Amino acid sequence: MSVVQAASSLQLCRIMRPDDANIVGNVHGGTILKMIEEAGCIVGTRHCNTQDGDRCMAALVRVEKTEFLFPVFIGEVAHVTAEITYTSTHSLEVQVQVMSENILTGVKKLANKAALWYVPCSLKNVDKIMDVPPIKYASADQEELGRKRYGAQKMERQETKARIEDVVPPPPNPEDPPKGQHTVGFSQSSLIHLVGPSDCTIHNYVHGGVTMKLMDEVAGIVAARHCRTNIVTASVEAINFHRKIIKGCVVTVTGRLTFASNKSMEIEVFVDASSLMEAGKEKYRAVSAFFTYISLDKANKALPVPPLKIDGEEEKRRFEEGNARYLQSKAKRLAEKERQE
Amino acid sequence: MSVVQAASSLQLCRIMRPDDANIVGNVHGGTILKMIEEAGCIVGTRHCNTQDGDRCMAALVRVEKTEFLFPVFIGEVAHVTAEITYTSTHSLEVQVQVMSENILTGVKKLANKAALWYVPCSLKNVDKIMDVPPIKYASADQEELGRKRYGAQKMERQETKARIEDVVPPPPNPEDPPKGQHTVGFSQSSLIHLVGPSDCTIHNYVHGGVTMKLMDEVAGIVAARHCRTNIVTASVEAINFHRKIIKGCVVTVTGRLTFASNKSMEIEVFVDASSLMEAGKEKYRAVSAFFTYISLDKANKALPVPPLKIDGEEEKRRFEEGNARYLQSKAKRLAEKERQE
Amino acid sequence: MSVVQAASSLQLCRIMRPDDANIVGNVHGGTILKMIEEAGCIVGTRHCNTQDGDRCMAALVRVEKTEFLFPVFIGEVAHVTAEITYTSTHSLEVQVQVMSENILTGVKKLANKAALWYVPCSLKNVDKIMDVPPIKYASADQEELGRKRYGAQKMERQETKARIEDVVPPPPNPEDPPKGQHTVGFSQSSLIHLVGPSDCTIHNYVHGGVTMKLMDEVAGIVAARHCRTNIVTASVEAINFHRKIIKGCVVTVTGRLTFASNKSMEIEVFVDASSLMEAGKEKYRAVSAFFTYISLDKANKALPVPPLKIDGEEEKRRFEEGNARYLQSKAKRLAEKERQE
């Protein structure tokens, strides 16, 4: 019995417990995202420390768009496999696959596939980005494909970074006065969380997976308020982690509906962090992302989603942008399907 | 109390999970108390750091009597709203309200209202109490009412402090020889808990909410052992936190029945702390409080409580004191009801 | 990237968090035991469901003596590898190995090796033991060695079962009157735990790993009270799980020192379960076991253990039995060492 695992890959698994799931037994998307990120963080940190120089920790900077292909249930075992698939000078890509296994029936399903980008931060000085040791590729083609993915994500990260720094978005609207059902204001939700020790890496920064789990929790509340049914995470648009969150911070996570089609809803989620102690330091936007949810009946079949009531120019603009993302995803899915046929 | 998020107010929400509740799905009173205290601690700490001088942490010193108005269930969202409602030179009052929301039906209920008192402790020297920046009151009347509440709680805190220091209560009675059912000894219960990192503030003192959750856990076991039914927390008498508990301590929490009416039971709970590492330091009484529980059938209707079998002078005295508290509460509730009609 | 794992083996890993460890950063033995048992339960349940007939769950019936070879620390990754190594008609043996990996330095250490025995219980009727599908052995020798281990553990299980049923042990001694330092009564400790949903398998029985974690928690408190130093689990004698514990039970876990040598302490731990709801059902002894702890200084070097003050015939008898176990272990270790040289 040996524990041989290549330095650049990792397997991780866990039984899904009641607290991992909603009341009908569907495991939260956030639970899966957290496991994915834990695997990525381990494999990335391990790889970046195979060289001399400062010890470092792989910090999550981006998660590519992720689709939840099959729901996972309480009592099933989720297997997460992570592998480093590309390295640039200062960042690395980890591809992760999640299989759910029903250990009573033996049925296995591909639940999720994701790609994450990490950057190695020195433990001595968290602002110092270390070099990433190169991996070996199976073929020149593999490397070339990786280089393309790297270029594409880099451009997108820079773009959203500029956008965030230009326009600091206004704080979300308060809940009162009470809004009518199916409006944006009606389902908008916020939670706050005081960052604790188990949320953090050994240099006291919040794990990206912890943040994503909180984001999914808020998005789920928004979706359930809108539909009043069993809702599950269908996909998450690419998430860029621009700014780190440290132990002792208070995190405010806010979600609001931007768009609803007949079969799905899109929820925009903002994560704002602020230090409890340092009054001088302002609240800052750490992350934002779009989550797509669907509504399910008791047999796990998709239910129609109530139309979203739009009010004002701002909500209209966001709705149209959401619609564009929706149509783009749909076109992409169709193209892929055709290609496979 | 509106939900505009001034520095002196805060909202927090969370979906209630299976581990937050008992096996019939009623969320533990202790879960609610812990959320209430987390909100109070955040809003208090944030407020006290809006000034120059040492950074500080709001430490809980007192919770006023609290009633659980409606049970909360797994899958519901608990919304906690906290607002600073009075400031003295060295302490502040936070009023907290808990609404439960069934996100499937949209039904919202007021589950709990509480008032907590905090004192800002310097992070550099935990025994140094900092000044509290004054808040602005909506009216002179508001301020005057706050001053009265402040005076009343201060007197009571001093009184209980004197009582505790005068009489160090004897260790609770042992469990053996086996006691007959419905006696005090039969249901008396103790737990010990090793204080861990997630139980603590960033200066390594146990959150008041963590202590209250442990107290409610023991009280619930005592009540269930007496009734052998589904029991829920109905109210908690004012709790004074005289002494802090630090990381690395072992906490012993003991509960015993003091009084039972036809419809409710009163359980006295003691929290004793002792350092595992420091030999010189004795075990000390950190907190004590009275919890009232009721017994519910499957439709959440109140069930009769078995009479408590009293044995000896000491138990008799405690029973009579419990009865006096019971009658006083009852009279107060009736008076309020009449006033409202 | 494939997730190929033989049906009869499994790997599981996780970053160690602050909540998994004591205040000096040593991961609790109980955390490791819980991970070991989770791996065993998954691999055992999966294997027993590769046949027709009722779906079933592998229930832990025994853990062989286990030694903690190297301490694991916060921030390290614990890798657990489990493999089915023997099957009888109605039970199976799982051998588990725990490697700790420091992902900053790349150093890996063997932290623990364990062997667990499981029995498949039908989900329809938990008292019905299912057949176990046979595994293939690498050689006839392998099978023969397995058969010997099977025979040995079976005999020991029957023996302890008879002992438990013959002599229902008295409830542990109470804490008062206060005992002098370094006596048995001084450090004796009890905790109670209300079994929650996350503690249980999908047929609502407590995971063996959850029980072992509670046992280690109490044993650690006893050891720390005796030594007032940093203490860690050194080994656990074989544990037999004779009776199941169901959701909704209250579990009382009690630990007391039985023996101390110059370098180690032995703590006997009892687990008693009782149903909160069902009045007829008595409290029953579910498990008992012996944990050995050592005391460490800041450099993780062994410290001398204060001698145990013995009082009365009963304590003397237990001390001598503990001493016999201690000498036997020591002789066995020496014999193994010689054999290896």
Side-chain angles (χ1 to χ4, degrees):
Chain A
M1 181 166 52
S2 70
V3 196
V4 184
Q5 288 194 328
S8 64
S9 81
L10 184 96
Q11 279 201 5
L12 174 159
C13 72
R14 187 158 78 69
I15 300 182
M16 296 293 105
R17 292 184 290 254
D19 273 12
D20 296 320
N22 65 18
I23 43 172
V24 264
N26 281 122
V27 170
H28 295 298
T31 301
I32 303 292
L33 290 171
K34 197 179 166 198
M35 289 183 76
I36 285 175
E37 203 276 319
E38 181 171 355
C41 175
I42 294 174
V43 81
T45 302
R46 178 200 275 164
H47 179 75
C48 294
N49 282 292
T50 56
Q51 61 189 342
D52 291 336
D54 292 3
R55 297 303 90 200
C56 60
M57 195 85 198
L60 181 69
V61 291
R62 178 177 166 91
V63 181
E64 298 293 346
K65 178 171 178 166
T66 293
E67 303 206 22
F68 291 83
L69 306 167
F70 265 100
V72 183
F73 296 94
I74 296 174
E76 291 185 346
V77 176
H79 296 269
V80 180
T81 315
E83 193 177 10
I84 300 181
T85 43
Y86 185 76
T87 50
S88 73
T89 321
H90 292 298
S91 67
L92 59 88
E93 183 198 50
V94 181
Q95 288 191 16
V96 185
Q97 186 179 293
V98 183
M99 301 286 301
S100 71
E101 178 190 8
N102 183 325
I103 51 174
L104 300 182
T105 62
V107 173
K108 288 182 191 183
K109 282 180 173 167
L110 179 61
N112 196 292
K113 278 170 85 168
L116 298 87
W117 293 89
Y118 286 88
V119 150
C121 303
S122 161
L123 287 193
K124 284 188 192 156
N125 169 8
V126 85
D127 295 322
K128 181 176 163 197
I129 307 296
M130 308 291 292
D131 284 353
V132 174
I135 57 163
K136 280 179 192 145
Y137 298 91
S139 68
D141 269 13
Q142 292 285 321
E143 185 169 5
E144 184 50 32
L145 285 169
R147 191 172 296 124
K148 276 186 189 158
R149 292 193 303 271
Y150 168 71
Q153 65 86 27
K154 196 175 176 184
M155 227 173 59
E156 236 196 271
R157 266 167 64 198
Q158 280 165 344
E159 206 180 275
T160 60
K161 196 170 180 180
R163 206 163 57 215
I164 279 181
E165 284 176 354
D166 274 7
V167 192
V168 176
N173 296 319
E175 275 189 52
D176 56 344
K179 304 290 160 86
Q181 212 182 337
H182 302 142
T183 62
V184 173
F186 180 81
S187 56
Q188 182 173 320
S189 306
S190 275
L191 67 80
I192 59 173
H193 175 73
L194 185 55
V195 171
S198 286
D199 299 327
C200 293
T201 64
I202 47 173
H203 49 6
N204 289 332
Y205 284 90
V206 175
H207 278 292
V210 169
T211 308
M212 289 193 285
K213 190 164 187 284
L214 290 171
M215 294 170 89
D216 180 67
E217 187 175 339
V218 160
I221 294 174
V222 172
R225 277 181 167 160
H226 186 72
C227 291
R228 304 208 182 282
T229 53
N230 177 33
I231 49 79
V232 297
T233 318
S235 67
V236 186
E237 288 294 308
I239 312 181
N240 294 299
F241 292 80
H242 293 298
R243 300 192 51 180
K244 301 189 191 74
I245 307 170
I246 202 166
K247 196 168 88 175
C249 273
V250 173
V251 158
T252 308
V253 188
T254 305
R256 67 177 174 206
L257 272 164
T258 45
F259 166 77
S261 72
N262 182 39
K263 281 193 181 160
S264 69
M265 306 152 264
E266 189 195 62
I267 295 128
E268 188 170 15
V269 182
F270 305 98
V271 180
D272 295 322
S274 60
S275 166
L276 263 186
M277 300 295 180
E278 293 159 82
K281 293 209 179 164
E282 289 302 300
K283 196 186 242 200
Y284 60 91
R285 174 78 24 103
V287 198
S288 68
F290 293 101
F291 283 70
T292 298
Y293 271 73
I294 53 172
S295 166
L296 298 181
D297 67 11
K298 283 179 186 170
N300 279 307
K301 291 269 150 80
L303 282 174
V305 167
L308 180 62
K309 287 182 190 154
I310 290 300
D311 179 28
E313 280 310 303
E314 188 60 23
E315 288 187 10
K316 199 178 162 192
R317 184 185 57 72
R318 295 199 300 252
F319 188 91
E320 279 159 11
E321 288 172 8
N323 194 17
R325 281 184 293 270
Y326 171 73
L327 294 172
Q328 206 184 340
S329 286
K330 206 172 168 177
K332 210 173 158 189
R333 268 203 307 277
L334 281 173
E336 250 169 53
K337 212 175 162 184
E338 264 173 32
R339 212 186 36 159
Q340 286 171 356
E341 278 164 7
Chain B
M1 190 162 52
S2 75
V3 199
V4 182
Q5 297 221 344
S8 63
S9 80
L10 183 98
Q11 271 203 355
L12 176 158
C13 72
R14 189 159 77 70
I15 300 184
M16 296 292 104
R17 293 186 288 253
D19 281 355
D20 297 321
N22 64 19
I23 45 171
V24 265
N26 280 122
V27 170
H28 296 299
T31 301
I32 304 292
L33 291 170
K34 196 179 166 199
M35 290 183 75
I36 285 174
E37 203 276 319
E38 183 173 353
C41 174
I42 293 174
V43 80
T45 301
R46 180 198 276 165
H47 178 75
C48 294
N49 283 292
T50 55
Q51 61 188 342
D52 291 337
D54 292 2
R55 297 303 88 201
C56 59
M57 193 87 199
L60 181 69
V61 292
R62 179 177 165 92
V63 181
E64 299 292 347
K65 178 172 180 168
T66 294
E67 303 206 22
F68 291 84
L69 306 168
F70 265 99
V72 182
F73 296 94
I74 295 174
E76 292 186 346
V77 175
H79 295 269
V80 181
T81 315
E83 193 177 10
I84 300 180
T85 43
Y86 184 77
T87 50
S88 73
T89 321
H90 292 299
S91 69
L92 59 86
E93 182 197 52
V94 181
Q95 288 191 16
V96 185
Q97 188 180 289
V98 183
M99 300 286 300
S100 71
E101 177 191 9
N102 182 324
I103 49 177
L104 299 182
T105 62
V107 172
K108 287 183 189 180
K109 283 180 172 166
L110 180 61
N112 196 294
K113 279 170 86 167
L116 298 88
W117 293 88
Y118 287 89
V119 149
C121 303
S122 161
L123 286 193
K124 284 189 193 156
N125 170 8
V126 84
D127 294 323
K128 181 176 163 197
I129 306 297
M130 308 291 293
D131 284 353
V132 174
I135 57 163
K136 280 177 193 147
Y137 298 90
S139 68
D141 269 14
Q142 291 285 321
E143 185 169 5
E144 184 50 32
L145 284 168
R147 189 172 297 122
K148 274 186 190 160
R149 291 193 302 272
Y150 169 71
Q153 64 85 28
K154 196 174 177 184
M155 226 173 60
E156 234 196 272
R157 267 167 62 197
Q158 281 165 344
E159 207 180 273
T160 60
K161 193 169 182 181
R163 205 163 57 215
I164 277 182
E165 285 176 353
D166 274 8
V167 191
V168 177
N173 295 319
E175 277 189 50
D176 61 342
K179 303 288 159 89
Q181 213 182 337
H182 302 141
T183 61
V184 174
F186 181 81
S187 56
Q188 181 174 319
S189 305
S190 272
L191 67 79
I192 56 176
H193 175 73
L194 184 57
V195 170
S198 289
D199 299 328
C200 294
T201 65
I202 49 173
H203 49 6
N204 290 331
Y205 284 90
V206 175
H207 278 292
V210 169
T211 308
M212 290 194 284
K213 190 164 186 286
L214 290 170
M215 294 171 89
D216 180 67
E217 192 176 333
V218 160
I221 292 173
V222 172
R225 279 181 165 160
H226 185 70
C227 291
R228 304 217 179 266
T229 54
N230 177 32
I231 49 80
V232 297
T233 319
S235 67
V236 186
E237 288 293 309
I239 311 180
N240 294 300
F241 292 81
H242 292 298
R243 300 191 52 179
K244 299 190 192 73
I245 307 170
I246 201 165
K247 197 168 89 175
C249 275
V250 172
V251 158
T252 307
V253 188
T254 305
R256 66 177 174 207
L257 272 164
T258 45
F259 167 78
S261 73
N262 182 38
K263 282 190 180 161
S264 69
M265 307 151 263
E266 188 193 62
I267 295 128
E268 188 170 15
V269 182
F270 305 97
V271 181
D272 295 322
S274 60
S275 167
L276 270 184
M277 298 296 185
E278 293 161 82
K281 294 209 177 161
E282 289 304 299
K283 196 187 240 198
Y284 60 91
R285 174 79 24 103
V287 198
S288 68
F290 293 100
F291 283 71
T292 298
Y293 271 74
I294 53 173
S295 166
L296 297 180
D297 68 10
K298 282 177 187 172
N300 279 308
K301 289 270 150 80
L303 281 174
V305 167
L308 180 62
K309 288 182 190 155
I310 289 302
D311 178 29
E313 280 310 302
E314 188 60 23
E315 288 187 12
K316 197 178 164 191
R317 184 185 56 74
R318 294 199 302 252
F319 188 91
E320 278 158 12
E321 288 172 8
N323 193 18
R325 280 184 295 269
Y326 170 74
L327 294 172
Q328 205 185 341
S329 286
K330 205 171 169 179
K332 209 174 158 191
R333 268 205 308 276
L334 282 174
E336 250 169 52
K337 212 175 163 186
E338 263 174 33
R339 212 186 35 156
Q340 285 171 357
E341 277 165 9
Chain C
M1 184 166 53
S2 70
V3 197
V4 183
Q5 286 193 331
S8 62
S9 80
L10 183 97
Q11 279 202 2
L12 174 159
C13 72
R14 187 158 79 68
I15 301 183
M16 296 293 104
R17 292 184 291 254
D19 281 355
D20 296 319
N22 65 18
I23 47 172
V24 263
N26 280 123
V27 169
H28 296 299
T31 302
I32 304 292
L33 291 171
K34 197 179 166 198
M35 288 182 77
I36 286 174
E37 203 275 319
E38 182 172 353
C41 175
I42 293 175
V43 82
T45 301
R46 179 201 273 165
H47 179 74
C48 294
N49 283 290
T50 55
Q51 61 189 340
D52 291 336
D54 292 2
R55 296 304 89 200
C56 59
M57 195 85 199
L60 181 70
V61 291
R62 178 177 168 91
V63 180
E64 297 294 347
K65 177 169 182 170
T66 293
E67 303 206 22
F68 291 83
L69 307 168
F70 265 100
V72 183
F73 296 93
I74 297 175
E76 291 185 346
V77 176
H79 295 269
V80 181
T81 316
E83 192 176 12
I84 300 180
T85 43
Y86 185 76
T87 51
S88 73
T89 320
H90 292 300
S91 69
L92 58 88
E93 183 197 50
V94 180
Q95 288 191 17
V96 185
Q97 187 179 293
V98 183
M99 301 287 300
S100 70
E101 177 191 10
N102 183 326
I103 51 175
L104 301 182
T105 62
V107 172
K108 288 183 190 181
K109 282 179 171 166
L110 180 62
N112 195 292
K113 278 170 85 169
L116 298 87
W117 292 88
Y118 286 88
V119 150
C121 303
S122 161
L123 288 192
K124 283 189 193 157
N125 170 9
V126 85
D127 295 323
K128 182 177 163 194
I129 307 297
M130 307 291 293
D131 285 352
V132 174
I135 58 163
K136 279 177 193 148
Y137 299 91
S139 67
D141 268 13
Q142 292 286 321
E143 184 169 3
E144 185 49 33
L145 285 169
R147 190 173 296 124
K148 274 185 190 158
R149 293 192 302 273
Y150 169 72
Q153 63 86 28
K154 195 175 177 183
M155 227 172 60
E156 235 196 273
R157 266 166 64 199
Q158 279 165 345
E159 208 179 89
T160 60
K161 192 168 182 182
R163 206 162 58 215
I164 279 182
E165 284 176 355
D166 273 8
V167 191
V168 177
N173 295 320
E175 275 189 54
D176 59 344
K179 303 289 160 88
Q181 213 180 338
H182 302 141
T183 61
V184 174
F186 181 81
S187 56
Q188 181 173 320
S189 306
S190 272
L191 67 79
I192 55 176
H193 174 73
L194 184 55
V195 171
S198 288
D199 300 327
C200 293
T201 65
I202 47 172
H203 49 5
N204 290 331
Y205 284 90
V206 175
H207 278 292
V210 169
T211 307
M212 289 193 286
K213 190 163 186 288
L214 290 170
M215 294 170 90
D216 180 66
E217 191 177 335
V218 160
I221 292 173
V222 171
R225 280 182 165 159
H226 185 71
C227 292
R228 304 218 179 269
T229 54
N230 177 32
I231 49 80
V232 297
T233 318
S235 66
V236 186
E237 289 293 308
I239 312 180
N240 294 300
F241 292 80
H242 292 298
R243 299 192 51 179
K244 300 189 192 74
I245 307 171
I246 201 166
K247 195 167 91 175
C249 274
V250 172
V251 159
T252 307
V253 187
T254 305
R256 66 177 174 208
L257 272 164
T258 45
F259 167 78
S261 72
N262 182 38
K263 283 190 180 163
S264 69
M265 307 152 262
E266 188 193 63
I267 295 128
E268 187 170 14
V269 182
F270 305 97
V271 180
D272 295 321
S274 60
S275 168
L276 269 183
M277 297 298 185
E278 292 160 80
K281 294 207 178 165
E282 289 303 301
K283 195 188 243 199
Y284 60 91
R285 173 77 25 100
V287 197
S288 68
F290 294 100
F291 283 71
T292 298
Y293 271 73
I294 53 174
S295 167
L296 298 181
D297 68 11
K298 281 176 187 174
N300 279 307
K301 290 269 150 81
L303 283 173
V305 167
L308 180 62
K309 287 181 190 154
I310 288 301
D311 179 30
E313 280 310 303
E314 187 62 20
E315 288 186 11
K316 198 177 163 193
R317 184 185 56 73
R318 293 199 302 252
F319 188 91
E320 279 159 11
E321 287 173 6
N323 193 17
R325 279 185 295 269
Y326 169 74
L327 295 173
Q328 206 185 341
S329 286
K330 207 172 167 178
K332 211 174 159 189
R333 269 203 307 276
L334 282 175
E336 251 168 54
K337 213 176 164 185
E338 265 174 34
R339 215 185 32 160
Q340 285 171 357
E341 279 164 10

